[in-house]
Amino acid sequence: MNLNDAEVMERIHNDLIDNLDEELELELEDNHLDSLSGNDANRSKEYRRIYFKELFRLQAELVKLQDWVAATGHKVVIIFEGRDAAGKGGVIKRITQRLNPRICRVAALPAPNERERTQWYFQRYVSHLPAAGEMVLFDRSWYNRAGVERVMGFCDDAQYEEFFRSVPDFERMLVRSGIQVIKYWFSISDEEQHLRFLGRAHDPLKQWKLSPMDLESRRRWELYTKAKEVMLERTHIDEAPWHIVEAVDKKKARLNCIHHLLNQMSYEEIKRPIIELPQREHHDDYVRQPVPPSMFVPEVY
């Protein structure tokens, strides 16, 4: 892959803009969107304005979905899989950004410890499954065995085959118990992953994301591809099918995934009672005590 310095720098610049967008998304409200609109000569600003507007609309629908899940006692597991730097974390962040973490939570398990390696393979995931009225987003899941564990040699052939024998029954059991299982695979090209890794390597705020395992995944691209193909073929079941998200364009991937997720449940808006703030009580005998200046955080900004 031949990339000149200008192309690399342009890519890093675009990634930095995307990082800024992540912060803007946390601060912007719908009534601020007009300030982002650009003129005809600035398609980038207009594209971002449209993106933000649609993101806010979808996030408002996610709030309705959350209320419906809580009110009906629905149980949802959403699995996010894909190559390193495919954008799974970005879409998870946008889904959970405005939701109640008591209803919608993320399970991102570290590598198993010595004790967990001796357990039934699915055991450590079971404790993270939802109760009634909860959504759990797995940032990587039991499908580690079909991907990184297979490619990196962390499981043997017998464990690998046992996984494929067990996982369809395991997921069917979850569905029979009332848990809806939704599975997403984020797909990016060889070139796109290479560019995203370059961006991380040159960004001090993202270098921590490049683990030795990530770097090795670049070298073993084809092995990961083969493992993914086997996984999709052997675990695409009617009760819990795979959904492929084209993720080369991060913003489109986020919107497409959220839009698809909303369409997986027949939710409806739950009417909330009108909120009226109570009058603040005042007591004549109460005197607010002064706080020592040394206790305040210095106002540097």
Side-chain angles (χ1 to χ4, degrees):
M1 185 177 302
N2 296 321
L3 293 171
N4 59 41
D5 291 342
E7 290 174 323
V8 173
M9 293 307 297
E10 181 181 0
R11 181 62 190 210
I12 295 170
H13 174 72
N14 290 337
D15 279 348
L16 287 173
I17 290 176
D18 192 68
N19 292 343
L20 293 175
D21 286 348
E22 292 180 10
E23 299 302 320
L24 283 171
E25 289 164 15
L26 293 171
E27 301 296 334
L28 289 173
E29 299 297 337
D30 288 319
N31 58 356
H32 292 154
L33 287 169
D34 289 341
S35 65
L36 281 178
S37 62
N39 53 38
D40 293 338
N42 196 334
R43 293 184 179 181
S44 177
K45 284 187 178 180
E46 179 65 12
Y47 175 74
R48 291 166 67 198
R49 186 193 71 81
I50 295 171
Y51 164 71
F52 284 132
K53 185 174 183 178
E54 189 63 11
L55 177 67
F56 290 140
R57 186 188 73 81
L58 292 173
Q59 287 180 329
E61 291 299 315
L62 284 171
V63 173
K64 296 177 185 177
L65 173 64
Q66 167 192 257
D67 292 345
W68 176 82
V69 166
T72 61
H74 195 55
K75 295 178 282 188
V76 190
V77 162
I78 311 168
I79 290 173
F80 295 87
E81 293 287 345
R83 297 182 187 275
D84 297 314
K88 301 179 296 297
V91 75
I92 290 171
K93 183 184 296 183
R94 272 62 177 198
I95 291 172
T96 60
Q97 194 166 305
R98 303 178 190 277
L99 300 186
N100 184 343
R102 294 183 180 87
I103 297 174
C104 180
R105 54 188 168 83
V106 179
L109 278 61
N113 58 35
E114 290 298 327
R115 179 176 180 274
E116 289 171 333
R117 290 191 186 98
T118 68
Q119 294 176 342
W120 174 49
Y121 178 71
F122 297 96
Q123 186 169 336
R124 72 190 193 113
Y125 296 100
V126 169
S127 63
H128 296 275
L129 293 174
E134 293 180 351
M135 297 188 290
V136 177
L137 283 60
F138 278 91
D139 186 355
R140 294 198 183 278
S141 65
W142 43 84
Y143 283 100
N144 277 338
R145 174 135 296 177
V148 61
E149 291 190 19
R150 174 61 170 176
V151 175
M152 301 304 296
F154 297 149
C155 67
D156 57 34
D157 290 344
Q159 292 171 323
Y160 181 66
E161 286 301 320
E162 178 57 33
F163 170 80
F164 283 124
R165 281 192 294 269
S166 299
V167 71
D169 290 336
F170 175 67
E171 291 178 357
R172 290 187 181 105
M173 180 176 62
L174 296 182
V175 173
R176 288 197 304 271
S177 74
I179 299 176
Q180 183 175 4
V181 179
I182 304 170
K183 302 187 297 197
Y184 290 111
W185 174 269
F186 280 69
S187 178
I188 56 173
S189 64
D190 186 354
E191 180 182 30
E192 181 64 20
Q193 188 190 54
H194 177 71
L195 290 171
R196 291 184 186 181
F197 275 20
L198 280 178
R200 290 182 177 184
H202 289 84
D203 185 350
L205 299 180
K206 285 190 172 183
Q207 287 178 355
W208 63 270
K209 291 187 175 183
L210 279 180
S211 68
M213 201 72 65
D214 296 332
L215 297 176
E216 184 63 20
S217 73
R218 279 298 303 151
R219 190 173 70 84
R220 305 193 188 197
W221 171 273
E222 291 185 0
L223 291 177
Y224 271 97
T225 300
K226 292 178 181 178
K228 176 205 71 173
E229 292 169 348
V230 172
M231 181 192 78
L232 295 180
E233 179 183 357
R234 300 184 69 175
T235 62
H236 181 68
I237 60 175
D238 292 339
E239 295 84 352
W242 280 102
H243 306 286
I244 310 299
V245 180
E246 290 289 352
V248 171
D249 186 315
K250 292 180 181 180
K251 289 182 171 61
K252 287 183 179 180
R254 295 163 191 161
L255 299 181
N256 287 331
C257 183
I258 296 173
H259 181 272
H260 184 273
L261 174 62
L262 290 166
N263 285 319
Q264 300 310 297
M265 286 163 272
S266 300
Y267 70 96
E268 57 187 25
E269 185 173 3
I270 304 297
K271 297 298 182 182
R272 291 174 174 268
I274 297 175
I275 299 175
E276 295 184 4
L277 294 179
Q279 293 293 321
R280 216 269 274 168
E281 294 181 350
H282 295 268
H283 300 280
D284 294 335
D285 59 346
Y286 170 72
V287 179
R288 185 174 180 177
Q289 300 299 311
V291 178
S294 60
M295 293 181 67
F296 285 98
V297 172
E299 294 189 3
V300 179
Y301 302 100

